[in-house]
Amino acid sequence: MLCTRLTNARFLTMDPDHPVAHELGIWQGRIVGLDDAVTSLPAREVVDLHGATVLPGFIDAHVHLAWTGLQQTTPSIAGRTRIDDVLEVVAEAVARSRAPGDWVSIAGYDQRALGRHLTAADLDRVSDGRKLYLLHDSGHGCVVNTAVLDLLPADLPHENGFLAEQSMGAARALRLPYSQEELAEAIGRAARTCLAEGVTACAEAGIGGTLFGHSPVELGAYQLARDKGLLPLRVQLMVAADRLRPVTAHATDGIPRALDLGLRTGFGDDRLCVGALKIYTDGGMMARTAALTRPYEGLDHAGQLQDDPDALTELIVDGHLAGWQLAVHAIGDRAADVALDAIERAQRLRPRPEARHRVEHAGLIRPDQLPRFARLGVTAVVQPTFLRCFGDDYASIMGEQRAPWMYRGKAFLDHGIPLVGSSDRPVADGSPLRAVQFMVERASLSGRLIGPDEAVTVDQALHAYTAAGARACHWEDRLGSLTPGKHADLVVLGDDPRRVDTSRIGDIEVVETYVGGLPSRAGA
């Protein structure tokens, strides 16, 4: 007997052997059959979906759950365009803090809205003895006041209180870590937001590291969230590469650096597991720290790498030798060169054709770099919504020649490069459906077309958020398509993305999601 039979729906399975179905059977959390294979079988529950469209649950292959959840309860200056208005919000947060010397965190900082960066002197006007920390929306910088600067090394580079990349990491290191209880609650809040948008599985893009880590025992916070029933999604955890340390393993293992006990990609189960090793090579376009081969338009610099290229290469190679799948953050084309060079060297030293190494973001990829991606078997994990939300700004700083190379779609597919969709939530809007709409339209919120030749079909965009995401996370045997034997993770939509006008895709209602065959009301 089936546990559940879903009927009267249009199932877009993402399985080429059975692309469309109208009934689906579930037993003990897995799909057991489609159409005639289940129509006559008895079921404890038969659910009439009244003609809805059903897809495999969306997979967000690059997201920051803890950061998202913490941001949801942090005072924010998002949307403020005047310095005085920003300082008023900061002053209110300071007034709510307990005592002089406390840390006060503020979210939503983006200098572009203000016309300039805030300075330590600006913040000193309202700090009242507190330590102020305003995290940049990109996650690649922060602004702090003099009370924080006084605790940092005198030679640490900053711009009147704005700290970028590794300098930001030094400021983060001054703060006490969040507790596992705080993090578990934050993870749960973010997971519920994802679920409401049809996401049933995701890859957390870096835990425990200098730049984005929230605790030295952050993995335990995800286990706690699961134990407390706060984790309704399947989650894969990328581990920050700066957690690796030298080890003295057997010579034949060939492992120069590792996590304790040799923990690596694949450890865990179907609900919570360890994924790729996250390695940062550069910063971000929003903060103007993505590493380019020539300067930003109108600026006298070309961004920055996170470290010396040789040191980055050694880290990438060591991660490969230790058996990890690699997720290399590379937004600028110079950073992509470093990533590709290192992956090529690693594969020469120890060939692992099925490693499925990934370049996270791949924000600016030159035409000559595309064949290298393909030859090395590297997956491009992109964030289409970056251009939907920030495309006008990004196009202006890249210039006419380079703008069409940003967050590519069709060119990756034409070269046989796996194209995977993701959000980088909370940096940008997390809705997969709105991202799919952008991938087809290539239009920013203002209506500006950005790289229209990179547009893909609706089917290709949906594939990027389902089957391709599953493969990028080594989940293709259990997720990504509505195929018998796989987990019954699916999203019920109010309309068919392939049949509505493209401009309406992002507004399609997410009616309900199922994880492991169990429904979870999308709005709950």
Side-chain angles (χ1 to χ4, degrees), residues 49-55 58 194-199 431-434 437 490-497 500 503-513 520-524:
L49 293 176
H50 304 288
T53 296
V54 182
L55 282 162
F58 295 126
C194 292
L195 203 66
E197 293 177 338
V199 175
S431 164
L433 286 171
R434 287 191 283 273
Q437 179 176 324
L490 47 90
V491 56
V492 181
L493 301 178
D495 218 328
D496 185 342
V500 302
S503 64
R504 291 182 50 214
I505 292 174
D507 295 325
I508 292 174
E509 179 188 5
V510 175
V511 177
E512 195 167 56
T513 57
S520 176
R521 291 289 172 185

Side-chain angles (χ1 to χ4, degrees), residues 36 65 68 80 97 103 129 160 171 176 222 278 323 349 357 396 411 435 468 475 524:
D36 292 346
L65 291 178
T68 298
R80 269 66 173 190
S97 63
W103 283 88
N160 298 318
L176 287 173
Y222 284 84
K278 179 73 178 293
L349 290 173
H357 295 323
S396 69
W475 278 335

Side-chain angles (χ1 to χ4, degrees), residues 429-453:
D429 176 17
S431 164
L433 286 171
R434 287 191 283 273
V436 165
Q437 179 176 324
F438 174 83
M439 294 176 78
V440 179
E441 290 184 329
R442 298 289 298 190
S444 71
L445 288 173
S446 74
R448 177 176 181 172
L449 295 180
I450 303 172
D453 290 343

Side-chain angles (χ1 to χ4, degrees), residues 99-110:
D102 282 353
W103 283 88
V104 176
S105 296
I106 304 291
Y109 175 62
D110 185 345

Side-chain angles (χ1 to χ4, degrees), residues 80-236:
R80 269 66 173 190
T81 58
R82 297 175 62 250
I83 300 291
D84 287 346
D85 292 343
V86 166
L87 295 181
E88 182 179 349
V89 174
V90 177
E92 291 172 355
V94 166
R96 291 193 298 271
S97 63
R98 295 180 180 178
D102 282 353
W103 283 88
V104 176
S105 296
I106 304 291
Y109 175 62
D110 185 345
Q111 83 285 357
R112 297 173 302 173
L114 301 173
R116 69 169 175 86
H117 274 300
L118 290 172
T119 66
D122 290 330
L123 298 180
D124 289 344
R125 290 162 46 193
V126 295
S127 61
D128 194 25
R130 274 64 169 179
K131 303 179 186 72
L132 302 186
Y133 183 94
L134 280 66
L135 179 63
H136 196 275
D137 275 347
S138 67
H140 288 272
C142 66
V143 180
V144 299
N145 64 340
T146 301
V148 177
L149 292 177
D150 287 345
L151 300 175
L152 294 168
D155 60 350
L156 189 76
H158 68 89
E159 182 183 335
N160 298 318
F162 178 72
L163 303 157
E165 309 302 341
Q166 297 301 328
S167 294
M168 178 193 72
R172 289 181 72 114
L174 295 172
R175 308 178 60 179
L176 287 173
Y178 290 95
S179 72
Q180 287 193 346
E181 287 282 353
E182 289 176 290
L183 290 175
E185 293 290 336
I187 290 161
R189 285 193 296 273
R192 291 190 294 273
T193 301
C194 292
L195 203 66
E197 293 177 338
V199 175
T200 58
C202 65
E204 164 67 57
I207 62 169
T210 301
L211 287 180
F212 286 96
H214 298 96
S215 165
V217 289
E218 194 167 359
L219 190 151
Y222 284 84
Q223 290 180 289
L224 180 61
R226 175 180 171 169
D227 292 345
K228 295 179 68 173
L230 299 174
L231 197 61
L233 311 176
R234 303 184 194 278
V235 177
Q236 189 176 87

